[in-house]
Amino acid sequence: MDLFVYIGIALMVILFLSGAPLAIAFAFGSSIIALYSMGMSFESLAQIFFSSINSYPLLACPFFILAGNLILRSGGMVPLSDFIKATFGRLPGGLAVAGIIFAAFLGSISGSAAACLAIIGTVMVPVFVENGYDRPFASGLAVTSAELGLLIPPSLFFIIFGALNRISIVDLFMGGIGMGLLTAFLMCIVAVIICKKRNYATLSKATWKEKQLGFIKILPLILMPVLVLGGIYGGYFSPTQAASVACLYSLLIGLFVYRELTWGKIIEATIDTAKISSMIYFLIIGADLMGRMFAYIELPQIITQYVISLELGPLGFMMMVNFVLLVMGFFFSSLPMVIIVLPLFIPSVITLGIDPVFYGVLAVTNSLIGEITPPMGPQLWIAAPVCREKMGAIAREAWPFLGAWVAAMLIATVFPDIIMFLVEFFR
């Protein structure tokens, strides 16, 4: 490596530690290496900026973000919450289970953890507190269950990971179903154990008529994931086309069914979508340059050769990757990990004969755990004002549920069919 490689890497580290946006840190450092070590011209660099985001599959990101923002402002969240509470609230720990199922369903219609957390924090957490639950527990449950929004399809992280690494997004969605359901199930077990131990109250039993009326109210919401995911899996839509259909469907039910979607809310949803999408695209631009820099210094090949020398085998390798990504999650946000770190192991994955879809689902799960683990834990920073609780108290109550996430990840590593069954069935 020549001097400019070291200068570029040092600049990235300095900008990262100084708190500069990650896209700026990656782009500046990688640009120096591209210009002065790799011999690229400014015109070639500009072309890379454009080509890195000129991707049809990546168009699904802003569409799914907009669909989620519209549906969350449509007025259907309160009826959905009420129905789930009526169905599960009478069981021991039922309100906590209802919160997890509510989050899992939100994930299937929004694909965004931040959006899920905002709704759960404002809709469900007050209900927990009113029924005798501790606010820190309710907040810890909210922040961990909101992450299901990025694991259960349609997941933005699966779209980004699949588009950037030429892995089938549909297959990643299929694998995410098994992983998401297993994680939600283990979270429910943890929630019931804690609720029984602390003697949290249960809700009064709802009548069948109340449940039927509640189901009728949320039927349009239930049809949304059926329409979107069914269209994808049935071969009628590509993920990008399904995302545009989701936008139209969200707009229609918000205007004509629940009738709470005003022009002001539509504009607000559009602005939020533009902010989130631009952040993702800028990060992809910087990460693409950084990936080229990694290729120039042959980092993926070095990792592959090292993995081969260890003679770990597929299971041992995946366990090692799980450990490495879990540790990195303490210090890095999940989106940069998905864009930059996860692709580094793909050559090793292919060499060992591991299905890239299996690796992708597990690796994304690892990245999501890092969203909640201190000291970075960006979701904790969002949860504190939304749930009106101190970040330390939220993190303390979140640990048992994070344990459920880790347990689900390890179980799926040992039993790959949990992830791959639907993938292989529909291939």
Side-chain angles (χ1 to χ4, degrees), residues 83 86-87 90 204-214:
F83 173 75
T87 305
R90 184 68 181 88
S204 58
K205 186 176 181 179
T207 64
W208 278 107
K209 186 175 182 180
E210 290 173 335
K211 293 179 182 179
Q212 289 173 352
L213 292 175

Side-chain angles (χ1 to χ4, degrees), residues 249-373:
Y249 186 83
S250 302
L251 186 65
L252 291 176
I253 66 171
L255 290 174
F256 302 112
V257 178
Y258 298 110
R259 301 181 180 180
E260 290 190 17
L261 192 61
T262 62
W263 285 112
K265 290 182 178 181
I266 293 174
I267 293 172
E268 180 185 330
T270 306
I271 292 173
D272 286 349
T273 300
K275 289 179 180 178
I276 298 172
S277 300
S278 60
M279 177 195 71
I280 292 173
Y281 280 128
F282 274 118
L283 193 54
I284 289 173
I285 291 172
D288 187 33
L289 280 173
M290 195 172 183
R292 292 170 187 267
M293 182 268 291
F294 285 153
Y296 176 71
I297 64 176
E298 298 183 344
L299 183 58
Q301 292 88 335
I302 293 172
I303 293 174
T304 301
Q305 291 300 321
Y306 177 71
V307 168
I308 293 174
S309 68
L310 293 176
E311 299 181 354
L312 292 173
L315 179 59
F317 170 76
M318 288 306 304
M319 287 295 185
M320 182 193 73
V321 169
N322 287 339
F323 175 75
V324 170
L325 295 179
L326 279 176
V327 173
M328 292 187 70
F330 283 89
F331 307 100
F332 292 92
S333 181
S334 58
L335 183 57
M337 286 183 63
V338 170
I339 296 175
I340 297 170
V341 178
L342 270 54
L344 292 176
F345 295 101
I346 289 181
S348 302
V349 167
I350 295 173
T351 301
L352 291 172
I354 300 171
D355 195 305
V357 173
F358 175 67
Y359 163 74
V361 173
L362 279 179
V364 167
T365 304
N366 271 288
S367 303
L368 294 178
I369 294 173
E371 282 284 285
I372 310 168
T373 51

Side-chain angles (χ1 to χ4, degrees), residues 89-108:
R90 184 68 181 88
L91 304 173
L95 188 56
V97 172
I100 296 169
I101 295 174
F102 181 55
F105 188 81
L106 284 182
S108 70

Side-chain angles (χ1 to χ4, degrees), residues 367-416:
S367 303
L368 294 178
I369 294 173
E371 282 284 285
I372 310 168
T373 51
M376 289 295 289
Q379 286 294 93
L380 293 175
W381 295 89
I382 299 173
V386 170
C387 300
R388 299 180 184 179
E389 185 54 73
K390 294 179 180 179
M391 193 169 68
I394 297 175
R396 185 172 58 252
E397 293 288 351
W399 280 113
F401 298 106
L402 285 176
W405 275 78
V406 173
M409 179 191 65
L410 294 177
I411 292 172
T413 304
V414 177
F415 301 101

